[in-house]
Amino acid sequence: MSPQKNVAPGVKREAVAHVVEIHGVSQRRACRVLAVDRSGVRYRGVRPDDAEARAAMKAVAAERRRFGYRRIHVMLERQGIVMNLKKLRRLYREEKLQVRRRGGRKRALGTRRPMLVPEAPNMRWSLDFVSDALTDGRRFRVLAVVDDYSRECLALVADTSLSGLRVVRELEALIVRRGPPAMVVSDNGSELTSMAVLAWCQSTGVDWHYIAPGKPMQNGFV
């Protein structure tokens, strides 16, 4: 395989421009020396720059810094920006928004928006998990939902496994009895940042607020 096949078109154009500038030769001769197709060098793309989508994508990535392109895709659809997932992934990579792997102790990374102050019941619910062990050593978890205004415990769901889908089902059952909240507050646990939760927020219109780094008391009601 020719090494030229592994070189991106943009890099080829830059190489030709460099030879023309440094050695003072024509573009035709530079293309011939570098074995580059001249039509590719002279080509000017007609693809739109998607400035609006790029700006919205960067805004979501800045607000929710641990979201990858799939979750950002869901968030953009909530804003009415609909595009093919492959195209969004290309723009995501071009903007260098890849989520970096982090090592060591897991640290919560939340939103940077201010949190809604509840002025009446059902304005803001807090979600969190508590855990314990049975006498035989098996661990179990309890999903707790609290109304931050009235401090009423709305639900306690105990199980050995509580996934994002299970959280959504329990919230749906709770909304049937109580009506939807204006905002839900939680930490950045994997169940609560799952695609199931994001899709539920999109379909219901409920605002989900993730607490800020190093601020556990933002979700201290549970």
Side-chain angles (χ1 to χ4, degrees):
M1 180 182 293
S2 172
Q4 290 286 351
K5 294 184 178 180
N6 298 324
V7 180
V11 177
K12 293 180 182 179
R13 285 193 287 270
E14 291 176 2
V16 170
H18 177 77
V19 171
V20 170
E21 180 181 355
I22 298 300
H23 299 282
V25 299
S26 66
Q27 186 185 84
R28 186 186 302 275
R29 185 172 182 182
C31 289
R32 185 166 61 249
V33 169
L34 297 175
V36 174
D37 188 347
R38 189 161 174 248
S39 63
V41 174
R42 297 175 66 87
Y43 173 78
R44 294 295 177 266
V46 295
R47 176 185 291 169
D49 60 1
D50 298 299
E52 181 183 356
R54 290 175 187 267
M57 184 189 311
K58 288 190 285 187
V60 172
E63 181 181 325
R64 302 194 172 183
R65 289 165 283 174
R66 299 306 303 175
F67 278 17
Y69 73 94
R70 294 181 185 275
R71 291 177 178 176
I72 290 178
H73 186 250
V74 175
M75 301 302 294
L76 292 184
E77 286 187 341
R78 292 177 63 181
Q79 301 178 27
I81 302 175
V82 180
M83 70 174 69
N84 183 280
L85 184 61
K86 291 183 178 179
K87 177 180 178 179
L88 186 139
R89 184 171 183 266
R90 173 177 61 80
L91 299 179
Y92 179 83
R93 296 181 66 180
E94 289 177 359
E95 296 295 334
K96 296 181 172 57
L97 297 177
Q98 292 92 328
V99 177
R100 294 182 179 179
R101 293 177 181 269
R102 63 174 189 260
R105 185 171 61 88
K106 183 177 180 181
R107 294 172 176 82
L109 294 173
T111 65
R112 296 178 179 178
R113 293 179 293 107
M115 187 164 54
L116 173 70
V117 177
E119 299 178 347
N122 243 31
M123 287 191 66
R124 193 179 78 191
W125 294 353
S126 285
L127 271 67
D128 206 353
F129 292 100
V130 294
S131 62
D132 205 339
L134 302 174
T135 54
D136 60 2
R138 288 187 301 160
R139 303 290 300 180
F140 69 93
R141 306 175 77 195
V142 179
L143 171 66
V145 184
V146 175
D147 187 304
D148 292 347
Y149 180 82
S150 65
R151 307 300 173 87
E152 178 185 359
C153 181
L154 306 179
L156 287 173
V157 182
D159 209 330
T160 54
S161 176
L162 291 167
S163 64
L165 285 172
R166 178 69 181 279
V167 171
V168 167
R169 289 202 303 270
E170 297 298 336
L171 287 176
E172 288 286 355
L174 188 56
I175 286 174
V176 170
R177 302 195 304 270
R178 303 290 300 239
M183 174 181 284
V184 173
V185 178
S186 77
D187 60 20
N188 295 262
S190 58
E191 303 89 348
L192 304 177
T193 58
S194 64
M195 293 294 292
V197 168
L198 293 179
W200 180 80
C201 291
Q202 181 179 9
S203 62
T204 60
V206 174
D207 187 19
W208 197 294
H209 181 96
Y210 295 98
I211 62 174
K215 303 289 184 180
M217 286 311 298
Q218 288 186 358
N219 192 33
F221 295 107
V222 175

